[in-house]
Each structure stands twice: as C-alpha cells, then as structure tokens.
Amino acid sequence: MATDPLPRAPWAVAMRWSRLLFCHWPVPVATLRPHVPPLLDIDTFDGDAWLAVVPFTMPVVRPRLTPPLGFGPGAFHELNVRTYVTYRGEPGVWFFSLDAASATGVAVGRATMSLAYHRARMRLEETAGTVRYASDRTDPRAPAAAFRAVYARTGPARASEPGTLEHFLTERYRMYTSDLAPRAPRRLWVGGVEHAPWRLAPAECDITTNTMTLPLGVDVSGRAPLLHAAEPLDVRGTLRRRLV
C-alpha cells in the first residue's frame, strides 16, 4: 500500500473507488488563487496549475469496526472538483467541491472532514465498458452545477512513473481542508488515504455538459481535457488532524 508520511493513525473508513475518470485542464495559478486558502501553495507542473473534474462511484463504504454498507450498485456516486497544493513542502489535494448522491455521505464528509460536500442527483450506467455519467447538484448551499459525459478506456492500464505529469496529478495521499464557507479559512486540517499506486489507462470521453468549474470563474467547456481512466482501488482513509 502506498502512503504519505503522516503520523500513524488508525484508519477510519474503507472504500472502493470504481469507474473513475480523471479529467484535467491546465490553468494559470492566478485563476485558482482566490479559491485556495493562503496557507496552501498551489502546486504546478511546468508552470501550470491543474484543475480536475473526477467522476466515480463508491459501491462499498465501510466505517471501521462495521461490516460493509451495501449502498447498492451505482447508488453512492461522487463527482469531485480539485487541484493540487503543498503545505510546507508536503504535496496534497485541495477539493473545491465534492458532489454525492448520498445524504449520509454528504453530512459525514462535512461534519468530520470539513469537506465541501453537496447533495446531487446522479446516475451511472455502464454497457460493455462504456460509462454514462450524469450529475445535477441539488444542494441549496452551493451554486447549481452539472456534468454529463460518456467515457471508456482505450488501452491497458499501468502505474505512472515518478517525475511524469500523470504521477504528479494522481500519486497524492494527503487532502487538505479548511473552514467551510461562510466562515473565513483560518484553520487548516489534513487527512490521509492509503491504497495501492494508481493504475491508469488512456481514455476517450464525450463531455456534453460541464458547469462544475463555473463557480470558480473558470469555463473549460470548450477545451479538451487530459484523460486517464483508473482501475478500481480499495482505499482506507484517516480522520483529519489540525495543522493550524
């Protein structure tokens, strides 16, 4: 299992991430700076910050010391908007939003991790390896946002090599969080995950609707993303600890 050198802590939740697609766009650092707490540095690759929209599903979520919770196939989908940051040289992920089709998942994520989870109406269908994904945000705490895409892998999966863009974008085992709006971002927490290294495959994707980044003032709808389809992963996550 790959991990980041966080202080040892027992895992709090086990998950399985499946049918995951990384959609990435390079953007200027200045575009994202107003939306990332000043305690965090925005990480760059060859001078660019990277903005991602990541659809996937979690068919299994298991809090520690409990049996697996069966949400049903495709019942607990997520859609994340994220970028990459460092804190005192330690790389991690910053989530702008996490839409989910589970009221429980949204409530727990907001309460225990201060993650910007929002309720959404979501649908995933898969036929012969092709995934049809749709999400419409329904949470009144956040601006409306939607995503619709059809995607499939187009080649074999492999682990990324250190120093490559793929490795920079995916091999991160920390997530930084701060005070949720409308509070000012004065506190900073970090949580960790552990899982096997990502195995990524080339992919094709037809995105017909993507307004997920518009709340950030960024419109990527006319730009082709860098795409990677990921093999399913079993993941363990720890609760947050406070840094500042």
Side-chain angles (χ1 to χ4, degrees), residues 91-95 113 115 173-177 189-193 238:
V93 176
W94 174 261
F95 291 100
M113 296 298 291
L115 288 167
Y173 297 87
R174 294 183 173 210
M175 56 181 177
Y176 294 102
T177 70
W189 293 276
V190 63
V193 294
T238 64

Side-chain angles (χ1 to χ4, degrees), residues 28-72:
V29 171
T31 301
L32 302 182
R33 186 68 273 177
H35 307 285
V36 177
L39 292 167
L40 297 170
D41 295 319
I42 296 175
D43 213 350
T44 62
F45 191 94
D46 288 341
D48 289 317
W50 287 81
L51 183 61
V53 175
V54 185
F56 66 107
T57 191
M58 292 200 295
V60 175
V61 178
R62 183 169 71 88
R64 191 176 179 88
L65 304 180
T66 66
L69 300 181
F71 290 104

